[in-house]
């Protein structure tokens, strides 16, 4: 069985602005103090000998704007394993194109595994065990397997997967048919989901045999797969923007979920830094900080020479990067994207993006 991991590395990570910018998106950043960027850490997990991976089999899908950055961050990645999208069209075209290219090289029985480039994973051994289980399931039958993250709170920011019928265990881990996918719910619905014990967060990690997904894309998303078969990357300009969840996972009858127990965070915005690093300290300080009566703050500076001084602040994010200082209440970090639209509309401020 051939196992090919693919990293999806075309995202923008706008909610980590101003640290994350057009040519330095979130996946290029080190946000956990490890010294490795999120992209590099993802590649490390998938290429170390104990996970059965190697750079010859690793693929990356990214945008033309980020291709050089990917090569700089992953110098061991074979250039022929880097797929460069001419324009962003969300995850469905990225998954479809990569699946086509990998099937051409290795055959349609190849098991392909897709991983977002910007996730943090804590328990590496549990991650490897889960990957092995999902790969075994995908190799054993017609199945599109997704990893479900066991919820730790009633999040309204994640999609949810409901477990249906049990189909047994793989590598000692239980697997289930997917009953349904639900997009980001409101608070009450999320709390009800948790109370049932049947729901997990949608991690965005997928496993399948190449031929299975090509067949399913023809059935459920021909408007994506057919142009790619005919024209390859040249078809991108005529493709609609669609996520793989919407284009395929919510429609297929071959969806399975394997609940994962490893520690995980999709690092959606600056508040994720607090979840990873706070501990018992009053603030999260990734900067030189002099504070008076300040608590619950997240402070970041990209320069070791700069000092952030605060007095009487609570529950704020302060980020200093080059020519921008961001100060935002922690409850409103999702609104950073609205500010970026304002910058985009002002020719004098577009250089800050």
């Amino acid at each position: 069985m051939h196992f090919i991991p693919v990293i999806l590395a075309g995202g923008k990570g706008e909610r980590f602005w101003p640290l994350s910018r057009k040519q330095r998106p979130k996946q290029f950043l080190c946000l956990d103090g490890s010294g490795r960027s999120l992209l590099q850490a993802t590649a490390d997990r998938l290429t170390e000998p104990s996970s059965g991976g190697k750079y010859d089999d690793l693929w990356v899908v990214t945008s033309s704007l980020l291709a050089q950055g990917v090569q700089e961050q992953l110098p061991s990645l074979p250039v022929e394993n880097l797929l460069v999208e001419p324009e962003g069209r969300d995850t469905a075209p990225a998954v479809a194109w990569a699946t086509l290219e990998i099937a051409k090289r290795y055959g349609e029985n190849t098991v392909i595994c897709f991983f977002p480039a910007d996730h943090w994973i804590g328990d590496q051994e549990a991650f490897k065990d889960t990957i092995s289980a999902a790969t075994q399931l995908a190799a054993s039958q017609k199945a599109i397997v997704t990893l479900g993250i066991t919820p730790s709170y009633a999040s309204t920011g994640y999609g949810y997967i409901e477990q249906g019928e049990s189909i047994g265990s793989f590598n000692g881990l239980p697997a289930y048919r997917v009953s349904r996918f639900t997009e980001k719910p409101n608070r009450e619905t999320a709390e009800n989901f948790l109370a049932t014990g049947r729901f997990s967060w949608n991690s965005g990690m997928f496993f399948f045999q190449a031929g299975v997904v090509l067949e399913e894309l023809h059935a459920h998303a021909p408007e994506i797969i057919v142009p790619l078969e005919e024209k390859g990357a040249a078809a991108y300009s005529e493709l609609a923007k669609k996520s793989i969840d919407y284009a395929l996972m919510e429609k297929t009858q071959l969806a399975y979920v394997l609940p994962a127990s490893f520690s995980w965070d999709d690092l959606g915005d600056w508040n994720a830094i607090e979840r990873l690093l706070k501990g018992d300290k009053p603030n999260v300080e990734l900067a030189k900080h002099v504070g008076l009566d300040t608590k619950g703050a997240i402070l970041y500076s990209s320069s070791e020479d700069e000092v952030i001084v605060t007095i009487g602040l609570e529950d704020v994010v302060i980020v200093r990067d080059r020519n921008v200082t961001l100060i935002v209440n922690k409850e409103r970090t999702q609104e950073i994207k609205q500010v970026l639209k304002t910058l985009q509309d002002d020719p004098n401020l577009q250089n800050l993006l």
Side-chain angles (χ1 to χ4, degrees):
M1 179 188 65
H2 216 135
F3 163 85
I4 300 295
V6 181
I7 300 175
L8 297 173
K12 299 177 182 178
E14 292 177 327
R15 284 169 292 188
F16 274 93
W17 183 88
L19 189 60
S20 177
R21 306 205 193 188
K22 279 187 176 180
Q23 292 185 308
R24 190 186 62 185
K26 178 174 62 169
Q27 58 267 32
F28 288 178
L29 305 176
C30 171
L31 296 170
D32 63 358
S34 67
R36 299 287 283 170
S37 73
L38 295 172
L39 172 62
Q40 289 169 329
T42 302
D44 291 345
R45 286 193 293 271
L46 299 173
T47 56
E48 57 185 32
S50 57
S51 65
K54 54 189 178 186
Y55 267 97
D56 287 348
D57 287 336
L58 180 68
W59 289 53
V60 176
V61 184
T62 193
S63 68
S64 56
L65 187 65
L66 305 179
Q68 181 178 345
V70 169
Q71 290 176 310
E72 291 172 354
Q73 292 225 336
L74 304 178
S76 297
L77 180 75
V79 65
E80 63 270 20
N81 291 7
L82 179 63
L83 297 181
V84 181
E85 297 180 293
E87 50 191 296
R89 283 292 183 263
D90 214 325
T91 53
V95 169
W97 185 33
T99 301
L100 277 170
E101 295 302 316
I102 290 169
K104 289 177 188 176
R105 190 183 303 182
Y106 303 106
E108 294 194 356
N109 292 330
T110 302
V111 174
I112 309 176
C113 315
F114 283 86
F115 302 89
D118 54 1
H119 289 182
W120 175 88
I121 291 172
D123 189 338
Q124 304 302 319
E125 290 305 317
F127 175 77
K128 293 170 196 170
D129 290 342
T130 307
I131 296 307
S132 177
T135 304
Q136 288 176 26
L137 171 53
S140 69
Q141 56 193 281
K142 281 190 170 184
I144 306 175
V145 185
T146 184
L147 299 189
I149 305 298
T150 303
S152 54
Y153 63 98
S155 171
T156 59
Y158 297 140
Y160 284 75
I161 305 170
E162 183 177 14
Q163 299 169 5
E165 169 194 2
S166 170
I167 62 164
S169 64
F170 296 80
N171 197 33
L173 299 176
Y176 305 85
R177 290 186 180 275
V178 170
S179 178
R180 60 169 164 154
F181 290 89
T182 302
E183 291 301 315
K184 302 172 182 177
N186 59 33
R187 176 71 59 185
E188 181 181 0
T189 301
E191 290 174 349
N192 290 336
F193 284 175
L194 259 66
T196 69
R198 297 195 310 270
F199 286 82
S200 54
W201 291 333
N202 188 350
S203 71
M205 292 181 255
F206 303 96
F207 304 71
F208 49 76
Q209 294 177 47
V212 171
V213 156
L214 293 178
E215 185 177 317
E216 288 296 281
L217 285 169
H218 273 281
H220 301 292
E223 74 282 2
I224 291 175
I225 192 63
V226 172
L228 286 170
E229 286 179 330
E230 294 174 349
K231 304 177 184 178
Y236 262 72
S237 61
E238 62 190 77
L239 301 180
K241 287 187 177 182
K242 284 187 180 180
S243 70
I244 192 64
D245 295 278
Y246 180 75
L248 180 60
M249 297 306 294
E250 294 178 7
K251 300 174 182 177
T252 183
Q253 298 300 306
L254 302 179
Y256 295 82
V257 59
L258 200 152
S261 59
F262 51 77
S263 49
W264 170 91
D265 201 303
D266 79 338
L267 303 180
D269 63 23
W270 282 105
N271 288 305
I273 302 301
E274 185 173 61
R275 293 194 294 270
L276 294 187
L277 301 177
K278 183 172 184 180
D280 56 1
K281 300 176 183 178
N283 304 295
V284 176
E285 300 180 355
L286 295 171
K288 288 182 180 178
H289 174 228
V290 177
L292 178 63
D293 295 330
T294 293
K295 62 181 180 179
I298 301 168
L299 306 113
Y300 186 102
S301 174
S302 58
S303 172
E304 296 180 357
D305 297 329
E306 296 186 346
V307 178
I308 297 175
V309 180
T310 63
I311 302 174
L313 295 181
E314 187 173 349
D315 294 334
V316 296
V317 177
I318 301 175
V319 181
R320 175 68 183 157
D321 180 63
R322 292 178 286 178
N323 53 349
V324 174
T325 300
L326 168 72
I327 304 171
V328 58
N329 186 286
K330 280 161 46 174
E331 294 184 356
R332 302 187 65 176
T333 54
Q334 298 287 324
E335 297 174 44
I336 290 174
K337 296 179 76 170
Q338 295 180 27
V339 173
L340 299 188
K341 291 179 181 178
T342 301
L343 300 181
Q344 180 63 50
D345 293 338
D346 187 335
N348 295 318
L349 297 177
Q350 289 177 0
N351 65 304
L352 302 179
L353 295 172

